[in-house]
């Protein structure tokens, strides 16, 4: 008898409709030696009959089994499937999901070539009820490349994050030898089974291929077991599984993995339940706190250092059972960026909870939110917490409500004049429709602003039928000259007793005539348009009559078509289509130049230098600058400004004679033959780029072809050194004739600054130093680290790798430290360092900052290559060099060998190197010259002039 290569165990319970699709995804695998083992968990809907039909239709390939009684979970049917499987390898599939067509072949090949007990591939969540075909990869950074582990200790993140059992292929003999079974009678069985398998496996292989399609229904009426978080039994099961996993890790001595797992518990498992606390009663909360705190007592204290400030705060407040502060903190965690708690300032630090728990050392550490920048961020940019304190209605159409708005650190001064409006805004895809009501009372109350308003909703708000089905409520506060808008959250107000408000729809009362207050998923107040009483009866009767007949069908088809066209008009797909089919057929407009810097986020860099040189030389041209965000700031007034991805932006690109940018215009837009694309780029490469990156190679032919087509649009690519020719150009597969060895236009100003200083012997700091309030006697250091993201690539706030307060205390009398993070990151400084450490991250153009600085501190940022032009001291704080240099991208050279300044690894070494600043200046003078010769040989100060003369004035052609 032929032994199958892979047995796929398909479990099913009351899912007769979807079971055939799941089984078909196995039978259609490109690997032929695959069998299907269906295990029905004693369904009541005919699922087993469907399974038997599939078995009869595919004899020898499909076998069907049924458990004698329902087990209530996934463990028992999967265990039974393993017992019945005959394949060399085993995989698991749920009846509502599907395998990727090549899953079995790819996983078998990896297992056989490496001898692994377990092979894991990428799972993709497919949102089946999403009309835009939404998908998301499950922890894609884990599967960025193929790798084989001899032990889970080589890559603990695998056990911590990917706890699925279904995106894996197991050697069946391994499962039997280790007696690996799913737990029965308890939820979250995948988490325990995966931990057991990871720890027991002698070898594990990860492949970057998609293998499992996890079908998700976002609007499902029945929640899955794991999503029923309002049931306390659910949390009991979660805690028990975590304890069992901890026991496994402790038995093997895996303390580091336990610590990483604890961090995930704090920022994922616990968070899921904390989000729902506001919806649950005191009895649930008390039992939840008892269970959670019992487990939190065993958490590794170091785990708190790997979670967000709010996750740590919530866990701490839960331990204290401080519900008055915990519920607002949980509200802030659900509404990202919301400041829902009063703050306190002590000894130059800012704390959450308005001063509570500061007598506890642990409390001071966890509640310290100085780094979040609440004390420096402009008030209109803060999402101030605004909760209801009372709510009354008259049973007709008028509602009276009062609320409390957080006033952080009393930043809205007691003498500030206040006024406010209450806005009801329709939540609709197209257009804005809103009504406002004056707030009768708004007053200062210490840490809060208290307000109350009466709104005649029924007599004023006129919905447009079902078009305006949902309405949100916002408070618009005017404090002095600042306008602060905030969503109104329900807080502790009980809306169950609130009556629906009578309203008069503008079109007709056929569909609805009531506004029903409700709390959104994020805890905010909204109103839903409903029909009630006689209107509900009329609606039902008339709609049922109206939907019958040919005329109704014609109307419905036309309406659907119109709505679809209107909805799709602004979609990215439709815009790309119109760009190519309409705008690209229009004539190219001679003299039109579209400029873009860092995806429209800035007016800066080499595109700015070229633009300003064109203006200086009096070139006749039409300048179009792209901007991102709501409003353009800092862009030239004499240029046409277009928002990125807007219709004017697309039309400008389609008709431009020149594209000039430093990163990349949208990949989906093809450049016309009549358009010249000048790519200035934005830095010499230390990290491997383009096709030199393993991740690019792992994209497959289609992904690589798309990337190649994007870089093939470059007609000219600026380089500043032969190193660029060997690295960047090769990484992007650029032809040699595309390369322009001009240097970077953005560095022309630095070359000029160097020459002026060399000629005069004096350093002229200019107006920027005065603008920043820098002491003329102080040396200026610029700290400019490279871009930082978390493990899965998400952008996060920047965390200092050294103590800025210690810097200010030890060295602040001699040095002023300018902090300039990457434009994708953000930073916040404690009030205690004011004047000695200055955040200059909002200065878009870094060139004036480089010219100002007496020395540069960086890690791996390409700014080092630009600063080398000035021949000034550099310090390299490479505290994570091994991780950075040896990650999946790698580097083109060893920074430690070529760095033109001290390379330090600890904060103490950094401060010592700064203290010896003058000594390093002299010691590394020759190294700086060698560095500039190798990495900046073409930066001669005339790059912008060369570009303008070559392409726009004709004198350089």
């Amino acid at each position: 008898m032929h032994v199958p290569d892979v047995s796929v165990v398909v479990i099913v319970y009351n899912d007769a409709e979807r079971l055939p699709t799941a089984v078909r995804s196995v039978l259609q695998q490109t690997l032929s030696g695959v069998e299907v083992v269906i295990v029905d968990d004693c369904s009541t809907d005919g699922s087993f009959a469907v399974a038997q039909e599939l078995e009869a239709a595919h004899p020898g390939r499909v076998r069907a089994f049924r458990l004698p009684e329902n087990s209530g979970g996934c463990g028992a049917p999967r265990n039974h499937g393993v017992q019945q499987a005959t394949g060399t390898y085993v995989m698991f599939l749920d009846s509502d999901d599907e395998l990727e067509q090549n899953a079995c072949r790819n996983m078998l090949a990896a297992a056989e070539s490496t001898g692994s007990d377990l092979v894991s591939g990428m799972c993709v969540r497919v949102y089946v009820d999403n009309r835009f075909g939404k998908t998301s990869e499950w922890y894609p950074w884990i599967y960025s490349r193929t790798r084989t582990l001899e032990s889970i200790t080589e890559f603990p993140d695998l056990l911590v994050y990917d706890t699925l059992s279904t995106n894996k292929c197991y050697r069946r003999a391994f499962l039997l030898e280790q007696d690996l079974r799913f737990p029965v009678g308890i939820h979250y069985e995948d988490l325990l089974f995966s931990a057991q398998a990871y720890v027991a496996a002698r070898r594990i292989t990860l492949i970057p291929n998609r293998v499992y399609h996890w079908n998700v229904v976002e609007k499902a009426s029945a929640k899955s077991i794991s999503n029923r978080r309002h049931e306390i039994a659910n949390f009991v099961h979660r805690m028990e599984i975590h304890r069992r996993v901890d026991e496994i890790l402790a038995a093997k001595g895996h303390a580091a993995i336990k610590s990483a797992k604890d961090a995930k518990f704090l920022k994922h498992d616990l968070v899921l339940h904390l989000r729902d606390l506001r919806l649950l009663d005191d009895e649930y909360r008390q039992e939840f706190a008892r269970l959670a705190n019992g487990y939190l007592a065993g958490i590794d204290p170091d785990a708190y250092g790997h979670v967000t400030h709010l996750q740590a705060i919530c866990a701490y407040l839960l331990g204290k059972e401080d519900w008055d502060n915990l519920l607002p903190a949980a509200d802030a965690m659900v509404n990202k960026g919301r400041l829902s708690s009063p703050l306190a300032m002590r000894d130059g630090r800012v704390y959450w909870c308005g001063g509570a728990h500061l007598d506890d050392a642990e409390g001071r550490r966890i509640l310290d939110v100085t780094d979040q920048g609440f004390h420096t961020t402009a008030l209109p940019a803060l999402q101030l917490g605004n909760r209801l304190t009372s709510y009354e209605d008259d049973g007709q159409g008028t509602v009276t409500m009062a609320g409390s708005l957080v006033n952080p650190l009393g930043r809205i001064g007691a003498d500030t004049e206040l006024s406010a409006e209450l806005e009801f805004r329709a939540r609709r895809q197209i257009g804005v429709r809103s009504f406002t009501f004056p707030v009768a009372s708004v007053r200062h109350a210490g840490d809060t602003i208290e307000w109350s308003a009466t709104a005649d909703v029924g007599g004023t708000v006129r919905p447009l039928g079902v078009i305006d089905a949902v309405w949100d409520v916002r408070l618009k506060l005017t404090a002095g000259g600042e306008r602060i808008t905030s969503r109104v959250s329900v807080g502790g107000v009980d809306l169950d007793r609130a009556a629906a408000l009578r309203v008069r729809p503008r079109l007709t009362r056929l569909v609805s005539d009531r506004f029903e207050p409700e709390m959104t998923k994020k805890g905010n107040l909204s109103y839903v348009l409903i029909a009630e009483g006689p209107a509900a009866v009329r609606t039902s009767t008339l709609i049922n009559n109206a939907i019958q007949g040919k005329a109704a069908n014609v109307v419905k088809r036309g309406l659907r078509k119109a709505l679809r066209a209107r909805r799709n008009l602004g979609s990215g797909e439709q815009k790309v289509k119109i760009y190519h089919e309409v705008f690209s057929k229009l004539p190219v407009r001679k003299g039109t130049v579209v400029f873009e810097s860092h995806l429209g986020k800035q007016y800066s860099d080499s595109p700015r230098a070229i633009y300003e040189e064109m203006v200086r030389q009096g070139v006749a041209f039409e300048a179009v600058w792209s901007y991102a965000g709501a409003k353009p700031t800092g862009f030239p007034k004499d240029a046409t400004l277009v928002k990125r991805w807007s219709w004017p932006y697309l039309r400008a690109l389609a008709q431009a004679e020149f594209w000039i940018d430093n990163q990349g215009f949208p990949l989906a837009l093809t450049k016309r033959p009549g358009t010249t694309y000048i790519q200035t780029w934005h830095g010499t490469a230390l990290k491997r780029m383009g096709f030199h990156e393993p991740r690019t190679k792992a994209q497959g032919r289609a992904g690589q072809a798309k990337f190649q087509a994007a870089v093939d649009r470059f007609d000219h690519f600026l380089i500043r050194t032969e190193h660029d020719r060997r690295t960047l150009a090769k990484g992007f597969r650029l032809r040699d004739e595309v390369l322009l060895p001009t240097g970077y236009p953005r560095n022309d100003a630095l070359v000029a600054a160097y020459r002026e200083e060399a000629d005069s012997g004096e350093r002229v700091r200019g107006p920027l130093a005065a603008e920043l309030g820098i002491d003329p006697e102080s040396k200026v250091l610029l700290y400019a680290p490279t871009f930082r993201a978390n493990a899965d690539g998400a952008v996060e706030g920047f965390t200092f790798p050294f103590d800025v307060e210690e810097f200010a205390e030890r060295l602040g009398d001699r040095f002023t430290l300018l902090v300039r993070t990457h434009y994708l990151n953000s930073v916040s400084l404690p009030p205690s360092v004011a004047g000695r450490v200055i955040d200059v991250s909002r200065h878009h153009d870094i060139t004036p900052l480089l010219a100002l600085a007496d020395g540069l501190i960086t890690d791996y940022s390409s700014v080092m290559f630009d600063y080398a032009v000035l021949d000034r001291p550099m310090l390299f704080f490479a505290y994570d060099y091994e991780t950075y240099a040896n990650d999946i991208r790698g580097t083109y050279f060893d920074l430690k060998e070529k760095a033109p300044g001290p390379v330090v690894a600890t904060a103490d070494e950094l401060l010592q190197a700064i203290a010896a600043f003058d000594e390093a200046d002299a010691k590394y003078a020759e190294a700086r010259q060698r560095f500039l010769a190798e990495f900046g040989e073409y930066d001669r100060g005339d790059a912008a002039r060369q570009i303008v003369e070559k392409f726009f004035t004709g004198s350089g052609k």
Side-chain angles (χ1 to χ4, degrees):
M1 178 179 177
H2 176 68
V3 177
D5 293 313
V6 180
S7 295
V8 179
V9 176
V10 182
I11 63 170
V12 60
Y13 176 70
N14 286 352
D15 198 16
E17 183 178 348
R18 291 181 292 189
L19 176 61
T21 301
V23 172
R24 191 179 308 118
S25 76
V26 182
L27 296 176
Q28 293 177 349
Q29 287 290 300
T30 52
L31 179 70
S32 58
V34 180
E35 74 163 352
V36 183
V37 179
I38 304 174
V39 183
D40 175 60
D41 197 12
C42 201
S43 297
T44 60
D45 72 337
S47 291
F48 185 56
V50 173
Q52 289 177 310
E53 292 173 3
L54 290 166
E55 180 180 39
H58 304 279
R61 295 201 66 194
V62 177
R63 291 184 291 136
F65 302 90
R66 188 185 193 196
L67 298 186
E69 59 183 22
N70 179 251
S71 68
C74 300
R78 285 179 182 158
N79 290 338
H80 189 76
V82 173
Q83 293 173 356
Q84 299 297 333
T86 62
T88 306
Y89 295 89
V90 175
M91 295 174 63
F92 300 107
L93 173 64
D94 292 345
S95 61
D96 53 347
D97 298 330
E98 300 169 56
L99 291 184
E100 193 276 334
Q101 189 175 17
N102 301 299
C104 292
R105 178 171 61 84
N106 289 333
M107 300 184 93
L108 176 67
E112 291 190 332
S113 64
T114 62
S116 295
D117 291 327
L118 187 160
V119 175
S120 190
M122 189 181 296
C123 171
V124 181
R125 289 166 62 95
V126 179
Y127 299 86
V128 296
D129 57 344
N130 183 279
R131 65 176 182 266
F132 301 114
K134 176 183 173 183
T135 64
S136 63
E137 295 177 335
W138 187 257
Y139 298 114
W141 50 273
I142 290 178
Y143 298 98
S144 60
R145 63 182 175 90
T146 299
R147 68 178 89 185
T148 297
L149 314 173
E150 299 300 326
S151 166
I152 189 61
T153 58
E154 295 180 18
F155 192 39
D157 282 351
L158 183 59
L159 181 146
V160 173
Y161 291 95
D162 190 358
T163 57
L164 300 178
S165 66
T166 48
N167 61 331
K168 297 171 177 60
C169 179
Y170 312 83
R171 189 165 57 85
R172 187 166 66 92
F174 160 68
L175 297 179
L176 298 177
E177 290 165 5
Q178 298 293 329
D179 194 27
L180 293 181
R181 297 170 178 268
F182 288 89
V184 178
I186 188 169
H187 307 325
Y188 308 105
E189 56 278 299
D190 266 24
L191 197 157
L192 180 59
F193 181 83
S194 295
Q196 292 172 321
Y198 284 141
V199 170
R202 288 175 288 262
R203 185 172 292 163
I204 302 167
T205 294
L206 311 180
I207 60 175
N209 310 83
R210 295 185 172 195
V211 299
Y212 195 88
H213 292 165
W214 178 0
N215 293 327
V216 179
V217 181
E218 292 183 294
K219 300 176 183 178
S221 56
K223 294 293 184 183
S224 67
I225 292 172
S226 60
N227 283 327
R228 298 177 200 155
R229 293 187 288 273
H230 61 284
E231 300 174 7
I232 196 65
N234 187 289
F235 192 63
V236 171
H237 287 200
R238 188 185 287 271
M239 291 295 90
E240 177 59 24
I241 288 292
H242 273 283
R243 288 190 181 91
R244 294 188 192 183
V245 174
D246 291 346
E247 291 172 1
I248 293 171
L249 296 177
K252 295 291 185 179
H254 294 325
I257 300 179
K258 165 68 163 59
S259 181
K261 176 186 162 296
D262 285 346
K264 188 198 174 190
F265 175 82
L266 292 173
K267 62 187 181 183
H268 174 72
D269 301 76
L270 188 61
V271 166
L272 290 176
H273 293 268
L274 286 172
R275 287 176 172 176
D276 295 333
L277 279 184
R278 68 187 187 280
L279 308 173
L280 302 167
D281 57 28
D282 288 340
E283 182 180 354
Y284 179 98
R285 292 175 187 171
Q286 297 301 327
E287 180 63 10
F288 172 78
R290 184 186 69 80
L291 293 166
N293 289 332
Y295 186 77
L296 288 171
I299 289 283
D300 181 355
D302 290 343
Y304 286 91
H306 299 282
V307 300
T308 68
H309 73 288
L310 276 172
Q311 290 162 354
I313 286 172
C314 285
Y316 174 81
L317 295 175
L318 177 62
K320 298 294 184 181
E321 296 191 36
D322 181 355
W323 303 107
D324 289 341
N325 283 308
L326 173 58
L327 294 178
D331 174 57
M333 193 164 53
V334 173
N335 294 274
K336 188 175 181 181
R338 177 173 291 179
L339 175 56
S340 61
S341 171
L343 304 174
M345 186 178 291
R346 300 283 191 279
D347 301 322
R349 307 296 295 177
V350 179
Y351 298 92
W352 193 269
C353 291
H357 306 292
L358 296 187
D359 55 344
D360 173 25
E362 184 73 356
R364 286 197 304 276
R365 183 178 70 83
I366 291 177
L367 298 174
D368 188 333
V369 293
T370 310
D371 292 344
Q372 303 307 308
F374 296 128
H375 58 293
T376 56
T377 302
L379 282 173
L382 287 174
Q383 298 181 42
L384 297 181
N386 184 10
R387 63 181 182 85
L388 286 179
T389 54
S390 67
Y391 181 98
E392 297 177 1
D393 61 75
D394 64 357
Q396 298 298 315
T398 300
V399 60
T400 299
M401 62 181 79
S404 177
L405 179 79
V406 171
N407 181 12
L409 301 173
R411 291 180 58 188
I412 304 175
D415 57 349
T416 303
E417 185 177 348
L418 304 176
S419 63
E421 294 177 326
L422 200 61
E423 179 191 49
F424 286 65
R425 179 187 293 184
R427 190 190 305 169
R428 46 158 67 173
Q429 288 187 337
I430 301 174
V432 175
R433 183 170 170 77
S434 66
F435 296 87
T436 58
F437 301 90
V439 171
S441 172
V442 55
R443 63 183 184 84
H444 296 274
D447 288 334
T448 60
I449 302 294
E450 308 297 322
W451 59 270
S452 63
T454 297
D456 178 15
V457 177
T460 306
V461 178
R462 302 295 305 279
L464 291 174
V466 293
I467 296 174
D468 294 337
V470 182
W471 293 67
D472 297 316
V473 182
R474 291 173 171 82
L475 181 75
K476 292 191 169 183
L477 174 71
T478 300
E482 294 186 304
R483 183 84 160 176
I484 302 166
T485 301
S486 61
R487 286 291 300 271
V488 176
S489 67
V490 173
V493 171
D494 184 4
L495 293 180
D496 291 341
R497 300 178 183 178
L501 306 177
R502 293 179 181 273
V503 292
R504 295 182 299 119
R506 185 171 295 277
L507 295 180
T508 174
R509 298 189 186 183
L510 168 66
V511 176
S512 54
D513 58 1
R514 295 288 190 277
F515 250 179
E516 184 174 64
E518 72 168 19
M519 181 168 63
T520 68
K521 290 181 179 179
K522 292 189 174 183
N524 298 316
L525 176 64
S526 69
Y527 287 86
V528 178
L529 201 58
I530 63 170
E532 192 175 84
V537 175
R538 290 197 307 271
T539 298
S540 177
T541 302
L542 292 175
I543 287 181
N544 284 336
N545 291 336
I547 62 175
Q548 306 298 323
K550 294 182 179 179
N553 288 333
V554 170
V555 171
K556 284 188 290 183
R557 284 197 300 271
L559 179 60
R560 281 196 297 267
K561 184 176 181 181
L563 289 175
R564 186 165 56 249
R566 191 177 186 186
R567 183 172 60 241
N568 291 340
L569 187 61
S571 70
E573 180 181 354
Q574 188 72 5
K575 283 185 172 181
V576 171
K577 182 178 181 181
I578 291 178
Y579 169 85
H580 289 105
E581 297 183 2
V582 179
F583 292 159
S584 292
K585 302 295 191 270
L586 299 174
V588 170
R589 297 171 59 184
K590 294 294 184 181
T592 300
V593 186
V594 177
F595 297 89
E596 185 171 284
S597 179
H598 294 305
L599 307 179
K601 294 181 175 65
Q602 302 175 357
Y603 171 62
S604 66
D605 213 77
S606 292
R608 172 179 179 170
I610 295 173
Y611 165 79
E612 292 179 350
E613 179 66 19
M614 293 173 71
V615 172
R616 273 194 296 271
Q617 292 197 29
V619 175
F621 71 111
E622 180 185 351
V624 179
W625 270 94
S626 148
Y627 71 90
K631 294 180 179 180
T633 56
F635 288 84
K637 294 181 179 180
D638 56 350
T640 300
L641 306 185
V642 293
K643 186 173 183 177
R644 204 169 195 265
W645 272 112
S646 66
W647 292 113
Y649 172 81
L650 296 175
R651 180 164 181 167
L653 283 176
Q655 293 191 270
E657 183 181 8
F658 289 92
W659 292 359
I660 299 178
D661 91 317
N662 61 358
Q663 195 153 333
F665 289 107
L667 302 184
L669 305 182
T670 302
K671 181 185 69 69
R672 299 174 66 177
T675 301
T676 299
Y677 190 167
I678 302 173
Q679 172 58 257
T680 70
W681 202 240
H682 53 274
T684 294
L686 171 60
K687 273 279 194 177
R688 293 188 179 275
M689 302 292 293
F691 288 98
H692 290 164
E693 294 184 54
R695 184 170 295 182
T696 304
K697 297 175 182 177
Q699 288 180 349
R701 291 183 179 179
Q704 291 184 34
K706 183 177 180 181
F707 182 74
Q708 186 67 63
V711 297
D712 282 346
R713 297 178 303 173
F714 303 160
D715 294 299
H716 304 282
F717 187 91
L718 307 191
I719 60 173
R720 57 192 303 261
T721 167
E722 285 302 298
H723 171 79
D724 290 347
R725 192 184 300 272
R726 297 188 299 269
T727 56
L728 277 173
K730 297 294 185 184
F732 290 147
R733 296 179 180 173
L734 299 176
R735 303 182 312 278
D736 195 64
E737 59 267 25
V738 170
L739 307 181
L740 287 181
T742 60
Y744 282 168
R746 71 182 185 187
N747 289 342
D748 291 349
L750 299 181
V751 175
Y754 168 76
R755 289 173 177 167
E756 181 179 352
E757 182 179 341
D759 292 342
S760 67
E762 296 182 4
R763 174 83 48 84
V764 178
R765 286 184 167 175
L768 181 57
E771 177 188 331
L772 296 173
I774 296 174
D775 183 343
E777 301 300 318
S778 177
K779 285 189 178 295
V780 180
L781 300 179
L782 175 64
Y783 177 46
T786 193
F787 167 67
R788 299 285 174 174
N790 62 17
D792 59 0
V795 178
E796 294 184 334
F798 177 76
T799 301
F800 277 101
F802 63 94
D803 190 336
V804 290
E805 290 180 299
E806 184 180 0
F807 166 87
E809 183 178 345
R810 288 174 55 176
L811 301 168
D813 59 336
R814 294 172 52 199
F815 297 95
T816 298
L817 183 67
L818 307 181
V819 178
R820 209 270 191 176
T821 59
H822 189 280
Y823 70 92
L824 291 175
N825 291 130
S826 59
V827 69
S828 179
L829 297 170
S832 58
V833 303
R836 293 170 291 178
V837 184
I838 303 172
D839 178 17
V840 292
S841 300
R842 291 187 177 87
H843 286 253
H844 286 173
D845 196 344
I846 195 173
T847 301
L849 297 171
L850 295 173
L852 171 63
D854 297 297
L856 173 72
I857 304 171
T858 187
D859 42 17
Y860 324 107
S861 172
S862 63
V863 73
M864 70 176 81
F865 303 107
D866 303 309
Y867 195 74
V869 171
L870 293 164
D871 191 26
R872 297 176 191 170
M874 285 187 266
L875 303 177
F876 297 86
F877 186 28
Y879 57 91
D880 58 352
Y881 183 73
E882 297 305 320
T883 300
Y884 187 87
N886 296 321
D887 77 352
I888 60 172
R889 281 180 64 180
T891 59
Y892 285 117
F893 63 88
D894 188 342
L895 178 63
K896 290 183 177 180
E897 292 181 0
K898 294 182 179 292
V903 180
V904 297
T906 68
D908 192 56
E909 289 175 350
L910 173 65
L911 295 180
Q912 291 179 25
I914 295 173
F917 180 79
D918 292 333
E919 179 182 332
D921 186 2
K923 180 178 178 180
Y924 286 89
E926 291 185 9
R928 290 199 301 271
Q929 290 300 313
R930 290 195 301 270
F931 192 80
L932 178 62
E934 182 172 0
F935 299 112
E937 58 195 293
Y938 299 136
D939 275 331
R940 304 185 185 97
D942 62 350
R945 181 178 58 78
Q946 286 190 63
I947 297 300
V948 173
E949 291 179 353
K950 180 176 179 62
F951 296 103
F952 300 104
T953 66
S955 58
K957 293 184 179 180

